[in-house]
Amino acid sequence: MSTNPLTRRTPLSAPISAPTSHPVHAHAQPQSLSQSRTESDADTKLRSHSEGPVPPPAFGGKRRSAAGGASTGKLGKREYAILGGILVVAWWVRLYKLGRPDSVVFDEVHFGGFATKYLKRRFFMDVHPPLAKLLITLSAWVGGFDGNFDFKDIGKDYIEPGVPYITMRFFPAILGLALVPLTFLTLISLRLSLATAILGSLLIAFENALITQSRLILLDSFLVFFTALTTLFWVRFSSHDLEGRAFTKPWWINLGLTGISLGAVVSCKWVGLFTIAMVGVGTLRQLWLLLGNLKVTPRQWLKHFAARTLCLIVIPTGFYMFMFKIHFWILNESGDGDGFMSSEFQHTLQGHGMEDTYADVSLGSKVALRHVHTQGGYLHSHNHAYPGGSKQQQITLYPHRDDNNVWRIVNASSADGPASFPWDELPIEYVLTGTKIRLEHVITEKRLHSHDVRPPVSEVDFQNEVSGYGFPGFAGDANDDFVVEIAKRTRGKRDRSARHRLKTLRSQFRLRHALTGCYLFSHKVKLPDWGFEQQEVTCNKNPTWENSLWYIETNEHPQLPFDAEKINYEKPSFFDKFFELNAVMWKTNAGLTDRHAYDSRPQSWPVLRRGINFWVQNHRQVYLIGNPIIWWSSTLAIVAYLGIRGLMVLRAKRGFRDLHQPKIAFYDEVCSYLVISWALHYLPFFLMQRQLFLHHYLPALYFAVLLFCTVFDYITSAIRPRTRIQVAAVILIMAIWSWNHWSPLTYAGPWTKNKCEKGKWVKSWDFSCGDFHDDLGMYKGIPAVPSGKIDGAITPEGDSITTTFVEEAPEPIQNVFEAAEVPVEEKTMAPVGPQNEVQMQESTIDSPPAGSELEEAPLAEDTRAPVGIDAGAPAVTDKANDEGGWHGGADDDMKHPQDENAVTTAGDDEAPLWMKEFGKIPGMELDNENERLVDDLLKQDQEE
């Protein structure tokens, strides 16, 4: 028998399992790695405990001990030495130049910003669970970060503010490094050869996309690490279970650690549910085979079922919920995520509380009405008119507390009543369901009004405009009348009286317009700038139930006795907050359907069709692209296995017994497990309509690499050990060359335009070669260019500012209750980070009326074409798009027949010297505003 650790000690022709003795009480059975065993083979494991379990032969690797070291991943001294050498190489590969780039990169905008909010304890909303963000925050705290850096722009400098970004990147980098030994141990636990384990771990170490993701403040390094950790523990547990070690200490340890890892992976990102599905499929198969094993009694089967339920369901669920417990404990102050949550949730945050208010609502009460469905905006009015329609006073939904949210409930039962009543002196008269009321705006003295006029945005026949109408001394008209319809379902505690009598914070009600029958309604549609980007309020004849429900938040009336009942929002329990936040996360995540400049669909991932531009500055670039050799080889392995497996199915129909051969059965079992795992982490993305990116494929890529290693192990199983090592070395050399070739994109290193163009093996790879220098020597002494917002680019000749324009933020946090059409973000250097939702003014009381001199004119959108690197596009330089006017001399030498009225640069019309120099910059063109300014300057020169 050979002693070479890179070869097997058991002949491949040996049977996959020999009759061995196993404990009767353990009742081992064929599990996830036992498809080729017959029932009689399994029954031989269920014998006397005194003889002790004997592990099956290691078809894919050497058996290290009689206790089953090959299946449990135990290593000898030589294996530890080899793994240590691999770790040294991986350490250098993963942590090389970790401080580069020294500015904000891609989604560091989000996750670095979340660390800031955690440290300031301000509540925020994100579509991902908290574990990975908490670990990033921990690294920031360890590095001494004070939370005073906002991370809001890609390219924003880390050095000057003193951000400990290297420490923050070190945590994900260490987990990325840990992925290498996890791969080694998993391949050993799958009973593959040591040579294969070395190959697989080094392939993971030199995979460019995994390196890029692990070197930045991103979540995917945490996700892939916990996915690999779960896989290792699950494989070890399955091996123990297969070998008749059920309910032993190692069996329980690996099962429990699998559950904890499952909780961790789903607490990083919801795509961790795919890992739960992977373990769930294996568990169902195990329980199914146990059910068919006559040696396993029903009581023992229930013990197996209970153990898996506890460790694979209860423990992951408890871990997941505990992460949110920490999340709520830290984020206890009001922040920019409040608007996503219910009013009850918001009032658990410091700075968002409310004093107790009177419960009973009566005629004459001053109240603040809130909308139930669209995150609780207030019914609001202010001294501004609609620019069209009736041109009466605007009625909107406003998210902040404000005196303009206060309305007085007035009796509308008397058609010919006076213009006003002394409501503060009249006795209490409660508002009941069916009561006809009017709502009078306290500050402007306008009444809530509706009529047969289309609203300003939702111009459809079944919706009417809602406005504020009236003047002092005017008693109003029938269009001011609304009927109160109280809903049967109350808010908070059950209060039977709140179903019939209007009560603060308890009753939910609708307001039906008495004349037209429409209902007071609001939705996520927002008004334009003239409406301060506030939500539209209409009167809808066919409304959805939720969008027509309202409730009263505050209530006061002078005639209410001091000891009258007062109430407040009920404090939600942890479970209420947990389920509400997860529901909002789910809805917000599903709403991320806008296109992104670098998004991609799942069908393009296995072939590495395109990557993601992370960062561009100073003639360097970070572009997420996988190692093509590793990526395409793993995809080829999947296709090859599926093709060969299909061929074996056809051969089985013709009587061939391929799967009855122990060697083929063993490798088929391992490959089928890895292919199913790959499919469960990849195929569900085809069902998603949200934004997707290449990095979503990384967990599936991990299983594809493991499958490639298994295929390699099978193909080389029949050749000499030295030849096997040589084949592995050739594969590694190709992978390392490929890693080195695209390393400038991974490490933001220097590269030349020529090498960059040669590196575009696929036409759809869209990293910008024009951003690099022509020669590597030009990188010496190039000064850093700070990131900043720009309108154009004016640079000295021979130098340039690298600029990349991206229309939308990467995976933005978008409120699903807002309008689908969001304002176009301001162009910035490099791909733009997320923009906060529109910040409307805190109060509209003192806002100048529309059309007044005090009102500022809205700024015109900057539609100028990009200049510099991207200025050579035909859409930018095409003369057909030229609107005429003086261009600063930039195109004086160009002759165009249509330029008959062009201003010359001779005589009195000659431009000042600084404008001439301005015009010498290639690609510079002025918009209409700049042309007007230039003309004014010319006239001033002539007058002087």
Side-chain angles (χ1 to χ4, degrees), residues 264-566:
V265 70
V266 78
S267 296
C268 291
K269 273 189 171 184
W270 273 354
V271 292
L273 291 170
F274 304 156
T275 307
I276 292 179
M278 175 192 76
V279 174
V281 169
T283 301
L284 291 176
R285 183 172 182 271
Q286 290 177 354
L287 293 175
W288 178 254
L289 292 176
L290 276 171
L291 192 63
N293 191 339
L294 299 180
K295 297 291 185 179
V296 178
T297 65
R299 182 177 180 181
Q300 292 164 344
W301 188 90
L302 289 175
K303 287 178 62 178
H304 279 276
F305 179 84
R308 287 164 171 81
T309 300
L310 172 65
C311 294
L312 302 181
I313 296 179
V314 177
I315 290 179
T317 302
F319 187 97
Y320 180 76
M321 297 181 73
F322 181 66
M323 291 300 104
F324 279 91
K325 184 73 173 179
I326 299 175
H327 181 76
F328 294 145
W329 174 71
I330 296 176
L331 301 180
N332 63 344
E333 298 185 7
S334 179
D336 57 13
D338 296 4
F340 290 86
M341 312 310 298
S342 68
S343 302
E344 289 81 0
F345 190 109
Q346 293 179 28
H347 281 74
T348 64
L349 304 172
Q350 296 180 13
H352 215 301
M354 183 184 74
E355 295 182 357
D356 292 348
T357 186
Y358 289 106
D360 294 318
V361 180
S362 62
L363 297 177
S365 292
K366 294 180 181 179
V367 298
L369 281 73
R370 297 198 72 171
H371 198 237
V372 170
H373 193 228
T374 55
Q375 302 306 293
Y378 294 89
L379 185 66
H380 179 91
S381 187
H382 42 240
N383 192 22
H384 296 275
Y386 292 116
S390 65
K391 297 188 177 180
Q392 295 173 3
Q393 186 166 294
Q394 298 175 13
I395 303 294
T396 65
L397 209 65
Y398 184 63
H400 305 293
R401 293 179 183 176
D402 189 283
D403 289 342
N404 273 325
N405 302 335
V406 181
W407 301 80
R408 187 193 297 274
I409 299 179
V410 178
N411 188 3
S413 299
S414 177
D416 300 323
S420 63
F421 285 91
W423 294 108
D424 294 348
E425 302 174 3
L426 294 178
I428 296 296
E429 183 178 352
Y430 297 122
V431 179
L432 308 177
T433 184
T435 300
K436 186 185 294 185
I437 65 170
R438 292 177 180 175
L439 291 176
E440 182 181 276
H441 194 242
V442 173
I443 290 185
T444 63
E445 298 183 356
K446 306 287 186 182
R447 294 181 180 88
L448 190 70
H449 185 89
S450 186
H451 40 222
D452 191 20
V453 176
R454 301 290 79 77
V457 178
S458 302
E459 298 180 290
V460 289
D461 292 338
F462 58 85
Q463 293 203 53
N464 292 338
E465 178 192 83
V466 174
S467 62
Y469 179 66
F471 47 87
F474 176 61
D477 57 33
N479 280 327
D480 301 336
D481 298 346
F482 289 85
V483 178
V484 177
E485 296 181 358
I486 301 178
K488 295 297 182 183
R489 183 177 180 181
T490 60
R491 297 174 59 85
K493 292 181 179 179
R494 294 184 179 180
D495 187 344
R496 291 184 178 274
S497 63
R499 300 178 181 178
H500 311 286
R501 192 174 76 189
L502 196 59
K503 281 199 168 185
T504 308
L505 296 175
R506 296 290 181 262
S507 301
Q508 295 185 152
F509 60 94
R510 304 205 296 173
L511 292 175
R512 175 171 52 85
H513 194 245
L515 283 185
T516 63
C518 59
Y519 288 86
L520 191 67
F521 172 87
S522 186
H523 48 171
K524 63 183 180 180
V525 174
K526 289 194 171 184
L527 298 174
D529 292 340
W530 53 259
F532 306 99
E533 301 288 345
Q534 297 173 15
Q535 280 182 218
E536 181 187 48
V537 175
T538 68
C539 196
N540 196 324
K541 298 178 182 178
N542 187 28
T544 58
W545 175 261
E546 296 84 359
N547 283 345
S548 61
L549 282 177
W550 304 80
Y551 71 95
I552 293 175
E553 183 181 75
T554 60
N555 167 39
E556 62 178 20
H557 195 292
Q559 294 301 318
L560 286 170
F562 177 77
D563 59 349
E565 179 188 5
K566 288 187 175 182

Side-chain angles (χ1 to χ4, degrees), residues 223-240:
L223 173 69
V224 179
F225 168 77
F226 286 116
T227 300
L229 190 65
T230 302
T231 304
L232 173 62
F233 289 140
W234 176 248
V235 169
R236 287 186 169 185
F237 162 75
S238 298
S239 297
H240 284 296

Side-chain angles (χ1 to χ4, degrees), residues 23-304:
V24 176
H25 66 276
H27 292 282
Q29 70 290 329
Q31 297 297 337
S32 62
L33 301 177
S34 61
Q35 183 179 6
S36 62
R37 293 169 172 77
T38 63
E39 186 63 23
S40 60
D41 292 330
D43 292 343
T44 59
K45 295 177 177 291
L46 306 173
R47 297 190 180 180
S48 172
H49 176 67
S50 60
E51 299 182 15
V54 178
F59 275 106
K62 78 175 209 177
R63 185 167 61 241
R64 287 159 186 76
S65 70
S71 63
T72 59
K74 294 182 180 178
L75 306 179
K77 292 182 179 179
R78 188 170 183 180
E79 287 85 351
Y80 276 118
I82 293 173
L83 182 56
I86 294 173
L87 279 176
V88 170
V89 174
W91 177 280
W92 180 78
V93 170
R94 294 299 176 102
L95 276 70
Y96 173 75
K97 298 285 187 180
L98 189 61
R100 193 172 65 191
D102 56 5
S103 57
V104 180
V105 179
F106 195 58
D107 273 359
E108 289 184 341
V109 165
H110 296 284
F111 306 119
F114 294 152
T116 295
K117 294 171 184 177
Y118 270 124
L119 292 172
K120 292 183 176 293
R121 311 194 71 173
R122 294 174 182 171
F123 183 79
F124 64 89
M125 233 299 296
D126 181 38
V127 297
H128 301 301
L131 175 58
K133 299 192 292 289
L134 287 171
L135 293 175
I136 290 173
T137 305
L138 176 62
S139 67
W141 179 78
V142 169
F145 182 46
D146 57 6
N148 291 325
F149 185 81
D150 54 22
F151 294 88
K152 68 178 182 178
D153 291 317
I154 293 177
K156 191 170 184 179
D157 180 55
Y158 283 137
I159 304 299
E160 184 178 353
V163 180
Y165 72 103
I166 296 181
T167 304
M168 297 176 70
R169 289 177 179 174
F170 185 76
F171 270 46
I174 286 296
L175 294 185
L177 173 65
L179 188 64
V180 175
L182 285 180
T183 305
F184 184 91
L185 296 175
T186 300
L187 292 171
I188 291 296
S189 298
L190 287 171
R191 296 191 290 128
L192 301 178
S193 67
L194 186 56
T196 300
I198 296 172
L199 173 65
S201 58
L202 288 176
L203 289 179
I204 292 296
F206 287 97
E207 211 297 302
N208 294 64
L210 292 174
I211 296 172
T212 303
Q213 288 293 114
S214 67
R215 291 169 49 83
L216 302 172
I217 308 172
L218 305 175
L219 303 188
D220 293 276
S221 180
F222 300 90
L223 173 69
V224 179
F225 168 77
F226 286 116
T227 300
L229 190 65
T230 302
T231 304
L232 173 62
F233 289 140
W234 176 248
V235 169
R236 287 186 169 185
F237 162 75
S238 298
S239 297
H240 284 296
D241 202 54
L242 166 66
E243 295 169 5
R245 303 174 186 276
F247 305 109
T248 61
K249 184 178 179 179
W251 186 91
W252 277 110
I253 290 176
N254 283 283
L255 182 59
L257 291 176
T258 300
I260 294 174
S261 298
L262 284 175
V265 70
V266 78
S267 296
C268 291
K269 273 189 171 184
W270 273 354
V271 292
L273 291 170
F274 304 156
T275 307
I276 292 179
M278 175 192 76
V279 174
V281 169
T283 301
L284 291 176
R285 183 172 182 271
Q286 290 177 354
L287 293 175
W288 178 254
L289 292 176
L290 276 171
L291 192 63
N293 191 339
L294 299 180
K295 297 291 185 179
V296 178
T297 65
R299 182 177 180 181
Q300 292 164 344
W301 188 90
L302 289 175
K303 287 178 62 178
H304 279 276

Side-chain angles (χ1 to χ4, degrees), residues 804-851:
T804 302
F805 294 89
V806 178
E807 290 297 329
E808 298 166 1
E811 297 197 16
I813 307 306
Q814 180 180 357
N815 193 331
V816 296
F817 303 100
E818 294 180 355
E821 296 181 359
V822 296
V824 178
E825 297 178 5
E826 187 177 7
K827 301 289 190 284
T828 64
M829 296 178 60
V832 181
Q835 296 289 336
N836 294 330
E837 60 186 41
V838 177
Q839 298 297 323
M840 59 187 69
Q841 60 190 59
E842 290 295 328
S843 175
T844 58
I845 298 175
D846 299 325
S847 301

